[in-house]
Amino acid sequence: MQPVAIGLLGLGTVGAEVARLVMDREGAFARRVGRWVVLRKVAVRDPHKGRSLDLPIDRLSTDPVEVAGAPEVDVVVELMGGIEPARTAVLAALRAGKDVVTANKALLAEHGAEIFDAARRSGRAVAFEGAVGGGIPIIQSLGVGLAGNRFRFLAAILNGTCNFILSNMTRSGLSYDEALRQAQSLGYAEADPALDVDGTDTAHKLAILVQLAFGASVTTALIPRQGIDTLQSADIQYAAELGYTVKLLAVARDHGEAGLELRVAPRLVRRGSPLAEVTGPDNAIRTVGEPVGATLISGQGAGAGPTASAVIGDLIDVIVGRAALTARSLDLWPGGAPEPRLCSPRDVRRRSYLRFSIADRPGVLGSIAQVLGRHGVSIASVIQHDPGEDDQPDAPVPLVMMTHLASEADLDAAMEAIDRLLVVSPPSVRLGVED
Amino acid sequence: MQPVAIGLLGLGTVGAEVARLVMDREGAFARRVGRWVVLRKVAVRDPHKGRSLDLPIDRLSTDPVEVAGAPEVDVVVELMGGIEPARTAVLAALRAGKDVVTANKALLAEHGAEIFDAARRSGRAVAFEGAVGGGIPIIQSLGVGLAGNRFRFLAAILNGTCNFILSNMTRSGLSYDEALRQAQSLGYAEADPALDVDGTDTAHKLAILVQLAFGASVTTALIPRQGIDTLQSADIQYAAELGYTVKLLAVARDHGEAGLELRVAPRLVRRGSPLAEVTGPDNAIRTVGEPVGATLISGQGAGAGPTASAVIGDLIDVIVGRAALTARSLDLWPGGAPEPRLCSPRDVRRRSYLRFSIADRPGVLGSIAQVLGRHGVSIASVIQHDPGEDDQPDAPVPLVMMTHLASEADLDAAMEAIDRLLVVSPPSVRLGVED
Ligand SMILES: NC(=O)c1ccc[n+]([C@@H]2O[C@H](COP(=O)([O-])OP(=O)(O)OC[C@H]3O[C@@H](n4cnc5c(N)ncnc54)[C@H](OP(=O)(O)O)[C@@H]3O)[C@@H](O)[C@H]2O)c1
Ligand SMILES: NC(=O)c1ccc[n+]([C@@H]2O[C@H](COP(=O)([O-])OP(=O)(O)OC[C@H]3O[C@@H](n4cnc5c(N)ncnc54)[C@H](OP(=O)(O)O)[C@@H]3O)[C@@H](O)[C@H]2O)c1
């Protein structure tokens, strides 16, 4: 059996687990791919760091671009993260005629076109199952198993940190800050969670999924997004009272002529529906395709084990030569693809949850309802609790509403007008409902 | 572009939808596979039957084996169902050097070894995503996306007819017979539902999944199974009272040295857990692998559209040459594989739900508890309702129990002994809990 030599870039959370599996399960991999899989070279930042893994020091390098291009390396596995030097290393590997496996969603979302162009030129494959949904085989499912479908809709929970925080805010009534601290102390959130909680990470992953399911090349900047960092626990509690759970959802919907709706935002999801029941750090992707109908796939969206599972699956796919065939069949991020038509807020109609802080006096509900009515927004239900006894007499009181279907543009305009009313303390809260 | 010629065997529910998609989406398929996909020959039983599809009569044949072997056919898609002539036709196709796509779970479960042996000899692939879980891409997920894992556990809802019937018995309190009639009138159950409701169809699919996830070759006959046709609505109602839903589950669990546990049976599943929330005709597969952890995949388990989605996915996989690589990598149903060690009821411990019909007099609960105790089964909780006022004074009354963990062998022995007590009207009911 001819060995296949891996160049591994990064030996952190995911890289170390991948290295462990490649070494521990040597025999199983050899049976799967018909070749011995060996770790030939490993790039790290600090070669002297203590590591749980026993690697001869001469296999370590601090130059990922050199490892990527090294003639003795057959396949490059990029697990450093970030844009540079990952981008340069991946391009160097492809130009040197090597297949690449990566879990780097930021890199693909931002530079997919450049990377897949380089892959096409050299006839190589880039496999990236680990970039979306951890161990969930969503890339294979959309690109291969469900390849005969036309997708019309996709809604997904793609960030485990956010889902963990929201689950805890829902279950224990914690504030966002408390839930974030808990997630950090349990290892479910990074010290700097900005890219997770502001929706950027979810938007990266949505850009990748949209390429696969809709064949549309969108960069993250085109995806409107709202994070969970401004969510208040009051809204989660009111949503629960109305029978909903709040989830950070990535949504893509094909509106035909009107264009593609893309959005990352906290959304109300009806309790008991499949995405509502995905709790803790799990991820899930729900798609609706023709002819398959609705499909849901869920599991651990991050962590060393799940992500390594995806990377190893990709490694097998690449080594047996399947990934190259998939790449040719899917033609991802094709060169010169026109920007997809994105639909305007006029064309997107949804139900919404609204919360206002209002002066506790007669007639306020009426004035708000009037403004909504003027913008064509009709009210489905209202919650207004009696102010508690301890509340100050002049303190603003909450008013919660659910609307019927209305266009996003009308809702935005109505909210702006309402926030100008003297009896309302801005900013009011609006969260969409994903039915 | 060189065309690829399909020989389609069967133009029924699934076959007609596959034919429609191949013709309607010609351009999309050509882009995916780099060749024009044409329906060259179609085998049916009755060539004069009126069909929604417009096929020239000279493409129809009543001889599937002839179509399978015809030199002008490149790929054979078998959608007739049943063992013969499907088996002979598939073997003829493979011997003639053609790849095969099939959705025929009975054929693979019963003759997998023979068919995959023929495929290996001729270096061809057999793709069978449609055979398990309709459009759910479970075969690709286990065989490719999750290929780097060792599986320890699999639990699945694999028969849409049964899940539809059980969901309706749960929701509307219908009897089994009423729910079956409703399923038939809505097209969710066949006129002769025997193989669905007695668990045979589920066992076929479990045999296939076990081959993929555990690499174990088991024929359906080796899988102990119990259907839903003997379930009583009382048990579904008591289960609900205890916080459980009854599902027909296929379960495979690796007990290491003790062997593999395989079982098809109605099981109590805790409400709110992922499989409990799969309702109506949907299917779902939950797996636990190392390093990926738990993964769930669900969707429509049958029907023309979902199954055609799987068949088209396989067709693309086969035509681009990926299926052949997968076949070589997975080596399914290898020749001369030893029968796997199946574990004995001594080694399987689970909690159980028990229902007895007992004489309504003091001391009966005590005698039953005594027998259970003698067999090492301890009781976790008991439900005994006051007999209703209208009940006859001497009529037996129900006694429901949940046990702690106990071995299947001990439970069986205890149930046998209890059914011999004079104060008990046999047969008593025992349903396992899947925790
Ligand atoms: N962690 C997860 O749960 C998860 C889930 C899905 C996807 N991913 C993706 O997987 C990738 C890796 O994530 P991770 O969590 O494993 O990251 P990590 O723990 O921060 O590890 C990064 C590794 O890359 C090395 N590295 C960083 N910059 C380098 C440079 N300039 N030159 C050489 N080596 C360099 C580091 O070396 P030192 O060890 O010397 O510092 C470290 O070994 C990222 O793209 C991430 O988005 C991660
Ligand atoms: N239906 C589903 O939802 C579903 C889901 C998953 C898997 N499957 C599997 O898919 C396969 C097809 O199922 P189906 O529901 O489409 O079956 P179906 O509706 O009964 O159609 C069977 C087709 O095969 C043809 N046929 C049967 N015996 C034949 C023979 N001896 N010679 C020539 N043609 C013959 C029939 O011809 P005529 O039209 O002339 O009668 C008919 O077109 C089965 O293996 C089934 O288990 C079905």
Side-chain angles (χ1 to χ4, degrees):
Chain A
M1 273 197 301
Q2 198 196 349
V4 51
I6 308 297
L8 177 62
L9 316 182
L11 201 59
T13 307
V14 183
E17 179 68 6
V18 167
R20 186 187 72 78
L21 286 164
V22 166
M23 298 195 291
D24 285 3
R25 299 195 181 168
E26 210 181 23
F29 288 131
R31 273 194 302 283
R32 279 280 154 107
V33 303
R35 297 169 70 178
W36 290 109
V37 180
V38 293
L39 267 191
R40 184 62 48 86
K41 276 183 155 273
V42 180
V44 293
R45 208 164 1 202
D46 175 2
H48 304 293
K49 206 188 247 184
R51 305 192 190 258
S52 59
L53 218 72
D54 210 16
L55 269 180
I57 186 96
D58 65 347
R59 297 226 201 134
L60 291 182
S61 157
T62 54
D63 186 346
V65 180
E66 191 268 330
V67 171
E72 66 270 35
V73 162
D74 301 313
V75 175
V76 170
V77 178
E78 186 279 303
L79 295 169
M80 297 185 292
I83 301 298
E84 287 297 351
R87 174 179 154 274
T88 304
V90 165
L91 291 173
L94 292 169
R95 288 200 194 107
K98 292 160 197 188
D99 291 320
V100 170
V101 175
T102 178
N104 194 331
K105 50 253 174 179
L107 181 63
L108 293 178
E110 300 301 340
H111 299 280
E114 182 184 22
I115 287 169
F116 278 78
D117 181 54
R120 253 185 304 274
R121 282 170 199 270
S122 58
R124 303 323 308 175
V126 178
F128 52 98
E129 186 66 79
V132 185
I136 299 172
I138 183 64
I139 304 297
Q140 287 282 348
S141 292
L142 291 176
V144 180
L146 300 173
N149 287 273
R150 286 192 184 138
F151 289 96
R152 293 175 286 129
F153 176 71
L154 181 156
I157 295 171
L158 296 174
N159 186 281
T161 303
C162 290
N163 206 51
F164 183 87
I165 292 173
L166 292 177
S167 299
N168 265 3
M169 289 175 76
T170 307
R171 207 173 28 130
S172 323
L174 298 182
S175 72
Y176 169 75
D177 287 325
E178 289 161 342
L180 170 61
R181 268 195 300 276
Q182 198 180 88
Q184 285 170 322
S185 74
L186 291 170
Y188 289 116
E190 316 245 342
D192 176 8
L195 295 184
D196 290 314
V197 300
D198 75 0
T200 302
D201 176 76
T202 300
H204 284 152
K205 293 165 178 168
L206 180 59
I208 295 172
L209 293 182
V210 160
Q211 176 64 236
L212 274 155
F214 297 84
S217 297
V218 282
T219 45
T220 320
L222 288 180
I223 302 176
R225 60 186 176 274
Q226 183 185 338
I228 62 165
D229 39 352
T230 56
L231 270 184
Q232 288 170 40
S233 70
D235 295 310
I236 291 183
Q237 307 309 323
Y238 286 120
E241 227 174 281
L242 292 158
Y244 293 87
T245 300
V246 179
K247 294 289 179 192
L248 184 69
L249 287 194
V251 172
R253 195 185 262 106
D254 190 349
H255 289 268
E257 283 297 291
L260 198 57
E261 171 191 348
L262 297 177
R263 191 72 203 260
V264 172
R267 290 262 185 260
L268 271 63
V269 185
R270 194 182 290 281
R271 264 210 310 263
S273 69
L275 289 174
E277 302 308 314
V278 176
T279 54
D282 277 8
N283 280 196
I285 300 99
R286 182 169 189 271
T287 52
V288 179
E290 208 279 307
V292 75
T295 306
L296 180 87
I297 173 161
S298 65
Q300 294 178 51
T307 312
S309 160
V311 171
I312 297 284
D314 276 351
L315 207 44
I316 296 173
D317 215 36
V318 155
I319 297 173
V320 304
R322 217 164 30 201
L325 300 175
T326 307
R328 213 178 306 155
S329 157
L330 290 181
D331 198 24
L332 295 175
W333 284 280
E339 294 252 310
R341 183 182 157 80
L342 298 186
C343 66
S344 98
R346 292 252 131 255
D347 294 315
V348 178
R349 290 168 63 75
R350 68 172 76 255
R351 302 192 301 126
S352 281
Y353 159 99
L354 314 177
R355 178 166 61 85
F356 308 101
S357 284
I358 60 170
D360 186 18
R361 69 172 95 120
V364 177
L365 200 160
S367 356
I368 290 178
Q370 228 172 27
V371 179
L372 288 170
R374 257 204 323 274
H375 288 88
V377 179
S378 71
I379 300 168
S381 62
V382 174
I383 306 184
Q384 190 172 17
H385 290 290
D386 271 349
E389 299 211 343
D390 334 324
D391 286 355
Q392 286 168 279
D394 291 340
V397 295
L399 171 69
V400 170
M401 292 180 173
M402 287 289 278
T403 75
H404 286 296
L405 282 180
S407 87
E408 294 266 353
D410 288 340
L411 279 158
D412 285 338
M415 295 301 278
E416 237 185 272
I418 290 168
D419 272 357
R420 283 195 303 266
L421 295 179
L422 284 178
V423 290
V424 170
S425 318
S428 303
V429 172
R430 175 164 84 83
L431 297 172
V433 178
E434 195 57 55
D435 283 305
Chain B
M1 271 196 302
Q2 197 197 350
V4 51
I6 308 296
L8 177 62
L9 317 182
L11 201 59
T13 308
V14 183
E17 179 68 5
V18 167
R20 185 187 74 75
L21 286 165
V22 166
M23 298 193 294
D24 286 3
R25 300 195 180 168
E26 211 180 24
F29 288 131
R31 273 194 302 282
R32 279 280 153 107
V33 303
R35 298 169 70 178
W36 291 107
V37 180
V38 295
L39 267 191
R40 186 58 50 84
K41 276 182 155 273
V42 180
V44 293
R45 210 166 359 203
D46 175 2
H48 304 293
K49 206 188 247 183
R51 306 191 189 258
S52 58
L53 217 72
D54 210 16
L55 269 180
I57 185 98
D58 65 346
R59 297 225 203 137
L60 291 182
S61 158
T62 54
D63 187 346
V65 180
E66 190 268 330
V67 171
E72 66 270 35
V73 162
D74 300 314
V75 176
V76 170
V77 179
E78 187 279 303
L79 295 169
M80 298 185 292
I83 302 298
E84 287 296 352
R87 175 178 153 274
T88 305
V90 165
L91 291 173
L94 291 170
R95 289 202 192 105
K98 292 161 198 188
D99 290 320
V100 170
V101 174
T102 179
N104 193 330
K105 50 255 174 178
L107 182 63
L108 292 178
E110 301 300 339
H111 299 279
E114 182 184 22
I115 288 169
F116 278 77
D117 181 55
R120 253 185 304 271
R121 280 170 200 271
S122 59
R124 302 324 309 177
V126 179
F128 52 97
E129 186 66 78
V132 184
I136 300 172
I138 183 63
I139 304 297
Q140 287 282 347
S141 292
L142 290 176
V144 180
L146 300 173
N149 287 273
R150 288 190 181 139
F151 288 98
R152 293 175 286 131
F153 177 70
L154 181 155
I157 295 171
L158 297 172
N159 186 280
T161 304
C162 291
N163 206 49
F164 183 87
I165 291 173
L166 291 176
S167 299
N168 266 3
M169 290 175 75
T170 306
R171 206 174 28 129
S172 323
L174 298 181
S175 73
Y176 168 75
D177 287 324
E178 290 162 342
L180 170 61
R181 269 196 301 276
Q182 200 181 87
Q184 285 170 323
S185 75
L186 291 170
Y188 288 117
E190 317 246 340
D192 175 7
L195 296 184
D196 289 316
V197 300
D198 75 359
T200 302
D201 176 76
T202 300
H204 284 152
K205 293 164 178 169
L206 180 59
I208 295 172
L209 292 182
V210 161
Q211 177 64 235
L212 273 154
F214 298 84
S217 297
V218 281
T219 45
T220 320
L222 288 181
I223 302 176
R225 60 187 176 274
Q226 181 185 340
I228 63 164
D229 40 351
T230 56
L231 271 184
Q232 289 170 38
S233 69
D235 295 310
I236 291 184
Q237 307 309 323
Y238 286 120
E241 227 173 281
L242 293 158
Y244 293 87
T245 301
V246 179
K247 295 289 180 193
L248 184 68
L249 287 194
V251 173
R253 194 184 264 107
D254 190 349
H255 289 270
E257 283 297 291
L260 199 57
E261 172 191 348
L262 296 178
R263 191 70 202 259
V264 172
R267 289 263 185 258
L268 271 63
V269 185
R270 194 182 291 280
R271 265 207 312 261
S273 69
L275 290 173
E277 302 309 314
V278 175
T279 55
D282 278 8
N283 281 195
I285 300 99
R286 182 169 190 271
T287 53
V288 179
E290 208 280 307
V292 76
T295 306
L296 181 86
I297 173 160
S298 65
Q300 292 178 52
T307 313
S309 160
V311 171
I312 297 284
D314 275 351
L315 208 44
I316 296 173
D317 214 37
V318 155
I319 297 173
V320 304
R322 218 165 28 200
L325 299 175
T326 307
R328 213 179 306 155
S329 156
L330 290 181
D331 198 24
L332 296 175
W333 284 280
E339 294 252 309
R341 183 183 157 81
L342 298 186
C343 67
S344 97
R346 293 251 131 257
D347 293 314
V348 178
R349 291 168 63 77
R350 68 171 76 253
R351 302 192 302 127
S352 282
Y353 159 100
L354 314 177
R355 179 168 59 85
F356 308 100
S357 284
I358 60 169
D360 186 18
R361 70 172 93 119
V364 177
L365 201 160
S367 354
I368 290 178
Q370 226 172 28
V371 178
L372 288 170
R374 255 202 327 269
H375 289 87
V377 178
S378 71
I379 301 167
S381 62
V382 174
I383 306 183
Q384 190 172 17
H385 290 291
D386 270 350
E389 299 212 343
D390 332 326
D391 286 357
Q392 286 168 280
D394 292 340
V397 296
L399 170 70
V400 169
M401 291 179 173
M402 288 288 278
T403 75
H404 285 297
L405 282 179
S407 87
E408 294 266 354
D410 288 339
L411 279 158
D412 285 338
M415 295 301 278
E416 237 186 271
I418 291 169
D419 272 358
R420 283 195 304 265
L421 296 177
L422 283 177
V423 290
V424 171
S425 318
S428 303
V429 172
R430 175 163 85 84
L431 298 172
V433 177
E434 195 58 55
D435 282 305

